[in-house]
């Protein structure tokens, strides 16, 4: 267990000035439903969280947990069926004005998982990167090319790449093009949906470093979606653990990883592959079994167990630490 | 090691013909696979790890060929096999393979049970419909699929990614192979599922006395399953050793680099280690150590002369001039010196 947390428990990372963190994005009781009537499937079932300006907020969960759907709902790709999303205090889900729509499109950008599938194979990099700009503002050709060159330079690509097609690039380079496409809009917030899952380990490190540097120089807020807690631990300030459309645990990264309470978080944690053969071979894998919860009589509540560390549990589970002696609390 | 050798590769060279050029994908590689071990082959994409194992099954693309070398299996030289008929005796029954993407390795039009039954009929002496069905159920149980009687009638699209990979493993098992090649079997899966599949493979290895060759780009995954690790770079093994030796006492700068770039080792707020540059073009002849241009601490000789294998222990050898007695002492990077106590950070 790490000693005292550098930033204090429960507060997002603050800028050195000591200002109070500013809420950039506020998601309240979000519901997303696919299909209608009997076939309706609720992919996101009442999710609430806040993202502070300048932080990296992680959403972790397995495939099908709804983590991507949350990101896409914020992007206004999926319509919401309940709850509200506030961006800089203004509601951005449901019907909104044209100006606000434009502002949201410009200021919240997305990076996708598969760099092979997310780039238009028949368009040149030049067009791919600047497509978003064309809808936003009238730019002279010269100005547009300047912005493309700048965006490519920001992600470490050469300006002459702009006349090439996506198939001429490696996976890591394609992901950089995807990042350049987001950057050119000068966004305040980037939703990165598993941006490194499809990449080689050595390329992963490069893309993570790039994202971290961009955050430093441009003060971008990230919502980082992934299934892998080890990457999360390195990259995020706070983590929300999503299971079956609900957030089951939320807290500051170090706090959450060293004091994980919910059995699902613990299962995720035990699955982290460590480069240590002796330990790995003897490791007992924790598999999460949702049937251990007895929620018929005593439904779970969203409770704060330590400052800034929330968990979805009923009172009995909090008392006995989900049926097992809690490790460090 | 006094272990029995099940497959022995000697001085293997594989080339591809591409637009009047020759790409030297596997460069003079020798490797013994011991019976009952699990051997992991680790390297970046394009290092040749998949090509290497494809030669064991005669699955090279049409423009690829073995230019020299031998692959000895059961007294037979697989490098000499030409006819599809001869290969069919090896494929499945002797050596089976699990591919990365379970979506594409299953037939979407046939039920899961029928696909496993096909493998049983082809490779085992069981023929009666009832016996075959009983075996199908048994294999599905072995790979941890609940309600096998019902699930065996279902189709691939009715299974989740992890369950599909279990079905693929069941089909491979039904061939009754001696060697199971797993080509990035968990890359397309979630971490939790990945850990479960690796546990399953370990279990099945004991039950069916399999020899496992596990291919991956992620050294983190390997620690759990591998007895031995071979690190491949630009079509050659740069370091081979027992898992403990590779993780706790790596010798080759490329192994250092692979280990250091793992996000598990990253400290929040600090840059992750990255390997600079790109792998060398295999169209050109490589002189010296193939990794030298990307190695910030390469020696002069690394550019001039290819290093031989230096033996660190009877089971551990590495191809780097750093192990030469005349070489200056270069320590591995700080971050990977203490992998033994790594879990304390997390727990």
């Amino acid at each position: 267990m790490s000693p005292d947390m550098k930033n204090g428990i429960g507060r997002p990372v603050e800028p050195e000035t000591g200002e109070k963190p500013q809420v950039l994005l506020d998601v309240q009781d979000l519901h997303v439903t696919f299909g209608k009537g009997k076939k309706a499937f609720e992919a996101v079932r009442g999710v609430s969280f806040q993202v502070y300006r300048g932080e990296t907020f992680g959403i972790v969960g397995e495939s099908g947990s709804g983590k991507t759907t949350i990101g896409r709902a914020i992007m206004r790709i999926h319509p919401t069926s309940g709850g509200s999303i506030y961006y800089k205090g203004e509601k951005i889900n449901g019907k909104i004005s044209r100006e606000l729509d434009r502002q949201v499109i410009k200021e919240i950008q997305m990076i996708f998982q598969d760099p092979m599938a997310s780039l238009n194979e028949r368009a040149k990099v030049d067009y791919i990167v600047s497509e978003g700009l064309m809808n936003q503002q009238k730019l002279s050709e010269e100005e547009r090319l300047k912005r493309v060159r700048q965006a490519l330079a920001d992600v470490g690509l050469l300006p002459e790449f702009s006349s090439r097609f996506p198939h001429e690039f490696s996976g890591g380079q394609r992901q950089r093009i995807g990042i350049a496409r987001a950057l050119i809009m000068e966004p305040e917030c980037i939703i990165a949906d598993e941006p490194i899952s499809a990449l080689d380990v050595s390329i992963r490190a490069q893309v993570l470093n790039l994202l971290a540097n961009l955050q430093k120089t441009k003060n971008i807020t990230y919502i980082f979606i992934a299934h892998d807690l080890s990457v999360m631990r390195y990259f995020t300030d706070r983590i929300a653990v999503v299971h079956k459309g609900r957030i089951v645990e939320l807290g500051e990264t170090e706090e959450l990883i060293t004091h994980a309470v919910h059995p699902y978080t613990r299962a995720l944690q035990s699955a982290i592959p460590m480069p240590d053969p002796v330990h790995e071979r003897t490791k007992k894998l924790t598999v999460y079994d949702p049937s251990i919860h007895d929620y018929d009589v005593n439904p779970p509540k969203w409770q704060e167990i330590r400052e800034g560390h929330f968990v979805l549990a009923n009172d009995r589970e909090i008392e006995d630490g989900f049926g097992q002696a809690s490790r460090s609390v | 090691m006094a272990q029995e050798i099940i497959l022995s590769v000697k001085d293997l060279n594989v080339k591809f013909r591409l637009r009047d050029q020759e790409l030297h994908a596997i460069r003079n590689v020798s490797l013994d696979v011991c019976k009952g071990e699990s051997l992991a082959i680790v390297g970046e994409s394009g290092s040749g790890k998949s090509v290497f194992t494809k030669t064991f099954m005669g699955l090279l693309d049409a423009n690829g060929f073995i230019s020299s070398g031998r692959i000895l299996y059961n007294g037979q030289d697989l490098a000499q096999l030409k006819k599809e008929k001869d290969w069919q005796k090896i494929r499945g029954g002797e050596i089976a393979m699990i591919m990365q993407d379970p979506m594409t390795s299953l037939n979407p039009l046939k039920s899961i049970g029928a696909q496993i039954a096909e493998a049983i009929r082809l490779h085992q002496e069981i023929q009666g419909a009832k016996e075959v069905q009983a075996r199908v159920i048994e294999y599905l149980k072995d790979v941890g699929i609940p309600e096998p009687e019902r699930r065996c009638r279902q189709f691939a699209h009715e299974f989740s990614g992890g369950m599909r990979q279990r079905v693929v493993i069941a089909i491979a098992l039904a061939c009754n192979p001696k060697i199971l090649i797993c080509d990035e079997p968990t890359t397309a899966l979630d971490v939790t599922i990945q850990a479960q599949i690796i546990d399953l493979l370990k279990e099945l290895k004991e039950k069916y006395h399999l020899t496992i060759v596990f291919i991956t780009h992620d050294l983190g995954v390997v620690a759990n399953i591998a007895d031995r690790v071979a690190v491949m770079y630009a079509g050659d093994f740069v370091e081979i050793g027992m898992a403990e030796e590779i993780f706790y006492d790596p010798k080759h700068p490329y192994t250092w680099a692979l280990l250091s770039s793992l996000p598990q080792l990253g400290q929040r707020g600090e840059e992750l280690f990255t390997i600079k540059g790109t792998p060398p073009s295999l169209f050109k002849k490589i002189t010296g150590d193939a990794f030298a241009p990307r190695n910030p601490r390469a020696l002069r000789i690394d550019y001039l002369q290819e290093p031989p294998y230096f033996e660190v222990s009877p089971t551990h050898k590495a191809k780097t001039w750093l192990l030469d007695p005349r070489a200056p002492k270069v320590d591995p990077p700080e971050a990977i010196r203490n992998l033994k106590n790594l879990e304390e950070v997390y727990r």
Side-chain angles (χ1 to χ4, degrees):
Chain A
M1 181 185 107
S2 79
D4 51 356
M5 253 51 69
K6 270 176 237 142
N7 302 308
I9 293 164
R11 271 175 291 131
V13 179
E14 283 173 33
E16 268 82 49
T17 51
E19 280 171 44
K20 273 204 97 176
Q22 225 178 333
V23 176
L24 185 72
L25 201 69
D26 190 355
V27 176
Q28 294 294 340
D29 195 32
L30 178 73
H31 289 256
V32 179
T33 312
F34 294 112
K36 278 201 182 99
K38 270 190 190 158
K39 277 190 179 166
F41 176 75
E42 206 171 23
V44 179
R45 306 185 288 167
V47 161
S48 307
F49 61 90
Q50 292 178 324
V51 180
Y52 299 98
R53 187 185 288 271
E55 77 166 337
T56 303
F57 185 80
I59 302 179
V60 67
E62 61 197 0
S63 19
S65 62
K67 55 189 192 304
T68 300
T69 312
I70 296 173
R72 286 174 171 249
I74 297 170
M75 285 293 291
R76 299 175 48 77
I77 296 173
H78 293 319
T80 56
S81 58
S84 359
I85 303 169
Y86 297 96
Y87 173 71
K88 292 185 178 169
E90 281 187 87
K91 190 164 183 253
I92 58 164
N93 61 330
K95 275 219 164 76
I96 61 172
S97 71
R98 262 187 87 92
E99 294 89 77
L100 185 59
D101 192 31
R102 287 198 147 205
Q103 185 197 350
V104 171
I105 289 173
K106 181 186 173 296
E107 293 185 3
I108 308 180
Q109 285 287 314
M110 195 156 184
I111 303 170
F112 298 91
Q113 170 172 10
D114 187 349
M116 303 287 168
S118 64
L119 303 179
N120 183 350
E121 284 288 333
R122 303 183 60 176
K124 287 183 180 165
V125 169
D126 175 30
Y127 177 80
I128 293 173
V129 172
S130 63
E131 188 178 10
L133 271 187
M134 295 174 194
N135 295 324
Q136 282 288 325
Q137 39 190 269
K138 283 251 180 299
L139 283 178
S140 68
E141 181 65 7
E142 212 172 297
E143 181 72 9
R144 187 182 67 87
L145 286 176
K146 206 181 118 199
R147 295 275 289 270
V148 171
R149 276 199 296 273
Q150 183 56 45
L152 288 179
D154 282 344
V155 298
L157 293 177
L158 298 171
E160 57 258 38
F161 287 178
S162 66
S163 58
R164 295 193 192 165
F165 288 98
H167 71 257
E168 297 174 67
F169 296 95
S170 66
Q173 285 174 322
R174 280 170 195 235
Q175 198 56 290
R176 285 169 192 264
I177 296 172
I179 297 170
R181 169 171 65 182
L183 278 184
I184 202 166
M185 305 296 285
E186 296 170 342
E188 302 245 340
C189 175
I190 291 183
I191 299 175
D193 188 1
E194 306 241 14
I196 55 162
S197 307
L199 305 174
D200 245 32
V201 172
S202 52
I203 312 291
R204 272 180 201 183
Q206 292 175 10
V207 172
L208 283 178
N209 283 347
L210 171 67
L211 289 173
N213 279 335
L214 290 173
Q215 181 166 45
K216 256 183 243 156
T217 52
K218 297 185 191 289
N219 194 25
I220 299 172
T221 308
Y222 285 128
I223 297 179
F224 193 89
I225 302 172
H227 64 253
D228 185 346
L229 257 186
S230 67
V231 177
M232 285 288 181
R233 178 175 193 269
Y234 167 71
F235 200 69
T236 61
D237 298 313
R238 290 190 305 142
I239 298 179
V241 182
V242 184
H243 183 256
K244 293 258 161 80
R246 283 207 177 95
I247 296 183
V248 295
E249 195 162 4
L250 188 152
E252 250 191 47
T253 301
E254 277 304 324
E255 159 74 14
L256 186 95
I257 281 175
T258 46
H259 296 85
V261 175
H262 200 276
Y264 181 63
T265 316
R266 291 193 177 180
L268 282 181
Q269 202 181 10
S270 87
I272 299 177
M274 297 305 275
D276 176 353
V278 172
H279 168 251
E280 278 292 300
R281 281 179 205 146
T282 52
K283 163 170 102 174
K284 187 98 181 57
L285 193 63
T286 319
V287 177
Y288 175 50
D289 175 13
S291 66
I292 58 162
H293 302 297
D294 183 15
Y295 287 158
D296 292 342
V297 217
N298 198 347
K301 281 182 301 197
W302 190 233
Q303 339 206 3
E304 185 166 15
I305 48 166
R306 290 149 76 95
E307 205 191 333
H309 183 168
F310 297 86
V311 65
L312 185 74
N314 63 23
D315 297 330
R316 227 193 65 215
E317 286 172 329
I318 292 290
E319 250 166 56
D320 65 2
F322 285 93
Q324 42 189 299
S326 191
R327 278 166 314 167
S328 31
V329 181
Chain B
M1 252 187 321
Q3 259 176 306
E4 194 185 333
I5 288 166
I6 187 166
L7 183 98
S8 173
V9 181
K10 291 214 160 36
D11 308 318
L12 185 73
N13 283 285
V14 177
K15 290 180 176 171
F16 285 87
R17 265 190 215 101
L18 267 173
R19 295 181 211 128
D20 298 329
Q21 278 184 300
E22 267 189 0
L23 184 140
H24 203 163
I26 300 293
R27 302 183 299 131
N28 219 20
V29 164
S30 300
L31 180 77
D32 289 337
V33 182
C34 303
K35 196 171 180 179
E37 75 168 344
S38 51
L39 169 78
I41 300 180
V42 185
E44 286 171 274
S45 9
S47 61
K49 51 196 194 303
S50 290
V51 169
F52 179 66
T53 49
K54 276 180 181 172
T55 57
F56 306 165
M57 297 185 73
L59 289 175
L60 285 179
D61 289 345
N63 60 344
F65 59 98
I66 296 173
S67 62
S68 69
R70 285 178 299 165
I71 305 167
L72 296 174
Y73 176 79
N74 235 348
Q76 200 180 3
D77 186 1
L78 299 184
Q80 299 301 325
L81 289 189
K82 290 277 182 297
K83 286 192 211 114
E84 277 299 295
K85 231 178 143 185
D86 296 331
W87 274 118
Q88 272 164 17
K89 286 186 199 131
I90 303 291
R91 286 181 199 148
E94 303 292 334
I95 306 175
M97 197 163 192
I98 299 170
M99 307 277 188
Q100 179 180 135
D101 188 356
M103 307 259 192
T104 47
S105 25
L106 290 172
N107 184 341
L109 300 176
K110 275 171 111 181
S111 75
I112 295 308
Q115 293 182 54
I116 301 172
E118 184 188 355
I120 296 175
R121 285 207 190 85
L122 279 173
H123 292 285
Q124 298 186 25
E125 305 276 285
I126 312 165
Q127 290 306 335
K130 266 203 185 128
E131 284 92 359
V132 171
Q133 183 61 14
R135 291 294 292 161
V136 169
I137 305 287
E138 202 173 303
Y139 280 124
L140 284 175
K141 256 188 210 147
D142 277 347
V143 296
I145 289 182
E147 302 178 71
E149 288 85 0
R150 187 174 66 84
R151 300 287 285 195
C152 75
R153 288 195 298 274
Q154 292 186 324
F155 293 84
H157 70 268
E158 293 171 86
F159 288 76
S160 68
M163 284 294 158
R164 269 187 215 140
Q165 197 59 288
R166 287 172 192 263
V167 172
V168 174
I169 295 171
I171 295 174
L173 287 179
C175 301
N176 211 3
K178 312 278 183 301
I179 303 179
L180 185 64
I181 300 172
C182 307
D183 191 351
E184 308 242 7
T186 60
T187 312
L189 304 175
D190 268 10
V191 205
T192 32
I193 312 295
Q194 166 175 298
Q196 291 169 21
I197 295 283
I198 285 176
D199 267 12
L200 173 71
L201 283 172
K202 285 203 308 199
E203 223 172 84
L204 295 173
K205 177 179 165 259
E206 295 308 315
K207 180 161 181 189
Y208 290 93
H209 311 289
L210 293 168
T211 304
I212 289 186
V213 179
F214 195 94
I215 305 175
T216 177
H217 66 263
D218 192 345
L219 263 174
V221 178
V222 160
N224 192 334
I225 192 164
D227 300 322
R228 219 148 60 94
V229 180
V231 182
M232 189 164 233
Y233 184 74
D236 195 6
F237 289 116
V238 293
E239 184 162 6
I240 303 173
M242 304 304 286
E244 287 88 345
E245 293 168 328
I246 296 290
F247 283 96
Y248 301 147
D249 188 24
K251 293 295 183 197
H252 198 282
Y254 181 62
T255 317
W256 295 348
L258 272 186
L259 279 171
S260 319
S261 61
L262 289 174
Q264 285 95 316
L265 302 179
Q267 293 293 317
R268 177 90 184 108
E270 282 170 34
E271 285 230 326
L272 276 178
F273 178 86
T274 57
I275 308 175
K276 306 279 179 298
T278 49
S281 162
L282 295 173
F283 283 115
K284 297 186 190 111
K285 192 171 159 27
I286 291 169
T287 38
D289 185 343
F291 187 59
R294 302 174 76 186
N295 180 5
R297 285 179 294 188
L299 308 172
R300 229 171 84 87
I301 191 168
D302 280 331
Y303 292 96
L304 302 171
Q305 198 181 342
E306 190 186 337
Y309 279 115
F310 289 93
E311 202 168 89
V312 183
S313 79
T315 52
H316 186 188
K317 55 183 183 174
K319 229 176 182 178
T320 166
W321 285 115
L322 288 181
L323 291 173
D324 192 279
R326 291 161 292 175
K329 197 171 152 29
V330 176
D331 284 325
E334 180 90 43
I336 61 168
R337 268 184 233 162
N338 213 355
L339 294 182
K340 246 181 205 161
N341 300 318
L342 192 63
E343 79 268 26
E344 283 167 20
V345 181
Y346 275 83
R347 273 144 249 267

